[in-house]
Amino acid sequence: HHLHKNGGYVIVAIVRESTDTNAIQDFTDDIRRGDLSDLEFMKSATKGCFAIVNFLNQLMPPKETIKEQLENDLPPIQCALQAALEHDCIFVHTSGNFSIPTAGKDSIDGGIIKAELPDKPVGADLLDVESWSTFQHEGGMVAVSTLAEAKHRQDHAIQDFVKENPSSKARVIIPAGVYGPSVGTKFSFWDLAAHLYLIGQFGDFGHAFIHINDACVVYQAVIEQGEAGCRYPMYGESMTVRTFVEKYAKICSVAMNEDGPVCSEEESKRVYDDSETREKFGIDYKYTIDNSLSDTIENLKERNLLMVKEV
């Protein structure tokens, strides 16, 4: 919708056969359904595109091992990469800040997380069953470990593809926690996470949060001005999950879970730094948690989707 309104683009949604598209009907010019792992379908569906942007929901369905997860998640990415190459169009892959190794960053780099992608282990294969020794993501929860390393290896798949295909226009955006108003029956994962933390079912860790409208500005800039093979962090405000939930609960007039998890002091000081992205494209974020979270919550109330209920 942002790209259509502000960039003049025709928007085509390419989705799985099973995808519920009711929420995006009014924001797309066309919806094309098919097998995203079928290269011929992807080539046909994307013919004439200026850019292909990957918004695929990972871990759908969730698998038991990294290998099984990548066997499920990689084929659509590989097909989109190949289709973009054959059409000579841009491919933007959506990664995530969980894909960034954080082990040792607090002591080695002063807790500053950027967008570096370390080399994979010598001789490593994307589908290795064992975790890579080069990837250790401190903080978070065991439940996200598969997601984190799967995304990390997808980033390597993009990098490998660009090295093997120098004419590829693929690039990567690395968002942190995206929040903000939505449409239809959709909501941000972080609206659910706030609820889960308050009832004792979610952890605390160093994180960052960016408003959906600011994120859209970054996507447009990366599509129009980004460079092949480059990685663009899009983090927003560094903040622990607990602090985010405290602000959320206060707006909702709900008691904070004072006995909830608290991450280490070192992790609480962790900074997700996306200054290189902002400086390259001349972007100043307009939204902060303090000036926009209340509007997000009001939007959820209007659609009867607010899970953190008022007293």
Side-chain angles (χ1 to χ4, degrees):
H1 176 60
H2 170 90
L3 289 172
H4 176 77
K5 180 179 179 181
N6 297 288
Y9 294 96
V10 172
I11 305 300
V12 177
I14 302 172
V15 302
R16 300 178 175 101
E17 292 284 2
S18 59
T19 299
D20 180 354
T21 58
N22 287 328
I24 63 171
Q25 295 282 357
D26 296 334
F27 303 101
T28 54
D29 297 283
D30 190 16
I31 296 175
R32 300 173 186 174
R33 295 181 180 275
D35 181 357
L36 306 187
S37 301
D38 182 335
L39 178 57
E40 293 308 312
F41 165 73
M42 286 298 297
K43 286 162 57 176
S44 174
T46 58
K47 188 175 181 179
C49 284
F50 174 71
I52 302 171
V53 184
N54 173 26
F55 290 120
L56 273 179
N57 187 8
Q58 308 301 328
L59 297 179
M60 293 300 288
K63 302 294 184 179
E64 292 293 325
T65 67
I66 292 286
K67 183 176 185 294
E68 290 175 316
Q69 196 64 59
L70 288 169
E71 287 174 338
N72 181 78
D73 294 350
L74 273 178
I77 296 172
Q78 293 166 330
C79 286
L81 278 166
Q82 189 63 41
L85 180 68
E86 295 195 20
H87 295 323
D88 191 30
C89 73
I90 293 162
F91 176 75
V92 179
H93 175 66
T94 302
S95 181
N97 69 323
F98 281 123
S99 70
I100 307 296
T102 58
K105 288 289 185 179
D106 297 328
S107 58
I108 297 173
D109 295 328
I112 297 175
I113 311 296
K114 294 191 176 183
E116 299 91 346
L117 184 64
D119 293 337
K120 56 189 175 185
V122 176
D125 184 272
L126 288 177
L127 298 181
D128 287 340
V129 176
E130 298 297 327
S131 293
W132 286 355
S133 59
T134 52
F135 182 79
Q136 296 181 46
H137 188 92
E138 289 179 342
M141 302 175 295
V142 174
V144 302
S145 61
T146 299
L147 170 63
E149 187 157 356
K151 281 186 172 291
H152 179 72
R153 296 194 194 184
Q154 289 164 20
D155 286 3
H156 272 284
I158 306 295
Q159 179 174 271
D160 291 347
F161 187 88
V162 173
K163 286 180 179 179
E164 294 165 4
N165 300 276
S167 60
S168 172
K169 297 178 180 178
R171 58 210 63 174
V172 176
I173 288 181
I174 310 167
V178 180
Y179 73 97
S182 187
V183 294
T185 59
K186 304 299 182 181
F187 51 85
S188 164
F189 167 78
W190 295 101
D191 298 310
L192 171 62
H195 166 68
L196 293 175
Y197 185 96
L198 289 169
I199 62 173
Q201 296 182 12
F202 202 79
D204 183 34
F205 46 90
H207 200 45
F209 298 88
I210 184 167
H211 192 279
I212 182 63
N213 290 351
D214 285 330
C216 288
V217 172
V218 176
Y219 269 97
Q220 183 171 352
V222 170
I223 289 170
E224 296 177 346
Q225 305 171 52
E227 300 175 28
C230 288
R231 295 163 55 77
Y232 298 101
M234 180 180 78
Y235 297 145
E237 294 177 89
S238 296
M239 184 181 301
T240 65
V241 171
R242 183 182 176 90
T243 299
F244 173 80
V245 175
E246 286 175 338
K247 293 175 180 291
Y248 206 108
K250 183 176 181 180
I251 294 171
C252 294
S253 300
V254 170
M256 178 59 183
N257 178 7
E258 299 296 346
D259 296 326
V262 180
C263 67
S264 69
E265 182 179 357
E266 291 79 10
E267 190 173 348
S268 71
K269 295 177 180 178
R270 186 173 294 164
V271 175
Y272 283 88
D273 181 5
D274 61 7
S275 58
E276 291 182 4
T277 299
R278 289 182 281 110
E279 290 168 5
K280 177 177 177 60
F281 301 121
I283 293 173
D284 291 317
Y285 296 142
K286 295 181 179 179
Y287 299 86
T288 66
I289 292 291
D290 287 341
N291 74 18
S292 65
L293 187 56
S294 58
D295 290 340
T296 297
I297 290 171
E298 189 60 35
N299 175 268
L300 289 167
K301 287 181 182 177
E302 291 171 358
R303 294 180 294 126
N304 198 32
L305 291 173
L306 183 63
M307 286 166 278
V308 176
K309 301 297 184 181
E310 293 181 351
V311 175

